[in-house]
Amino acid sequence: MLNNQVIYWIGGSSCAGKSTLAKMYAEKYELELYSCDEYFDRHLQDVSTSEYPAMHKVSTMSPNEAFYTREVQEQLSVYIQVFIEDFSFVIKDLAKRKDKPVVVEGNQLLPSLVSAHLNEHHKAIWIIPAEQFQREQYSKREWIQGILQNTENPAVAFNKWMFRDALFSEFVQKSAFELQLNVLEVDGSNTLQENFRLIENLFSEIIHD
């Protein structure tokens, strides 16, 4: 479906630097950038309960239901299923771009889903944040407080949210390792520029094809 498109996949978990690194790479090499989150709301407009139950479910949730009332394992299960469902929309979007090289980034890029599309014109990496690093980065984002204030107990909701994302990170990392795909673990010991150079070295093999 993606034919011979040149695609650089950057997956992983939240607050690992995916978006920033993808933007840096796209700008340096004058490539298109596709950030999954920027298209997610648009995709939600085309979902039905029967075909996309998880996406439909999250589209109707309040912050309290999303992060406080549900158990963490249920949050994780729905979270993963949402990405599985949304990935089909991502592939359709990319197919419309035909032969334009593109950097794709987002949590939707689960290793098991992306691996089915990898070919000699593709490079992929999954960026996995350490649990404490991820928690610290989330705490710095102002928008998260607006969400948490709409829950019955912001502190409990935040801890559940962080636990869910830590489990998601483990899930993605394990899947990538099992498929022998590239993983970059981020814990704050490397600078953003150092992580960028690691990705740049990995992707450099096809940038001039």
Side-chain angles (χ1 to χ4, degrees):
M1 189 173 185
L2 299 180
N3 300 318
N4 294 321
Q5 288 173 258
V6 173
I7 300 179
Y8 304 88
W9 306 88
I10 301 179
S13 190
S14 298
C15 290
K18 297 189 310 299
S19 299
T20 302
L21 291 166
K23 183 179 179 181
M24 290 170 63
Y25 194 82
E27 288 180 348
K28 180 170 182 177
Y29 292 100
E30 299 182 343
L31 304 171
E32 290 195 15
L33 175 64
Y34 181 101
S35 295
C36 293
D37 283 351
E38 293 183 6
Y39 290 84
F40 184 67
D41 286 343
R42 187 185 307 174
H43 297 162
L44 284 180
Q45 298 173 11
D46 296 321
V47 301
S48 64
T49 307
S50 58
E51 289 185 282
Y52 304 96
M55 291 180 71
H56 186 270
K57 184 179 180 69
V58 299
S59 72
T60 62
M61 279 186 190
S62 66
N64 198 57
E65 183 182 2
F67 300 108
Y68 179 68
T69 61
R70 296 182 305 149
E71 294 301 320
V72 172
Q73 287 297 336
E74 182 190 351
Q75 291 186 30
L76 177 65
S77 177
V78 174
Y79 194 56
I80 292 172
Q81 187 58 39
V82 164
F83 294 147
I84 292 172
E85 292 175 6
D86 191 42
F87 187 74
S88 64
F89 287 99
V90 172
I91 292 300
K92 290 176 184 176
D93 289 344
L94 294 177
K96 295 175 184 176
R97 293 168 179 257
K98 297 183 179 179
D99 297 326
K100 295 180 180 179
V102 60
V103 180
V104 185
E105 69 86 13
N107 292 356
Q108 287 86 334
L109 310 184
L110 300 178
S112 59
L113 301 178
V114 173
S115 64
H117 298 276
L118 294 177
N119 60 45
E120 68 270 21
H121 299 290
H122 294 206
K123 286 289 183 180
I125 192 168
W126 280 264
I127 308 178
I128 308 298
E131 183 173 357
Q132 186 58 36
F133 177 81
Q134 186 176 48
R135 179 179 284 260
E136 290 171 357
Q137 295 305 306
Y138 259 120
S139 298
K140 296 176 182 178
R141 299 190 175 186
E142 294 182 3
W143 56 265
I144 196 174
Q145 298 305 320
I147 295 174
L148 293 173
Q149 291 308 313
N150 286 303
T151 67
E152 294 175 49
N153 190 320
V156 172
F158 180 71
N159 283 329
K160 282 189 169 184
W161 189 342
M162 294 304 97
F163 188 26
R164 181 206 69 179
D165 277 20
L167 291 175
F168 179 70
S169 294
E170 291 178 10
F171 170 78
V172 173
Q173 185 172 37
K174 181 180 178 183
S175 298
F177 281 154
E178 289 176 347
L179 293 166
Q180 299 183 337
L181 298 171
N182 299 299
V183 171
L184 172 60
E185 298 179 55
V186 175
D187 61 7
S189 58
N190 282 352
T191 66
L192 185 67
Q193 286 296 333
E194 287 172 332
N195 287 333
F196 178 74
R197 284 194 291 272
L198 289 170
I199 293 174
E200 190 175 31
N201 290 337
L202 173 67
F203 286 174
S204 64
E205 296 176 28
I206 64 169
I207 194 66
H208 298 299
D209 284 3

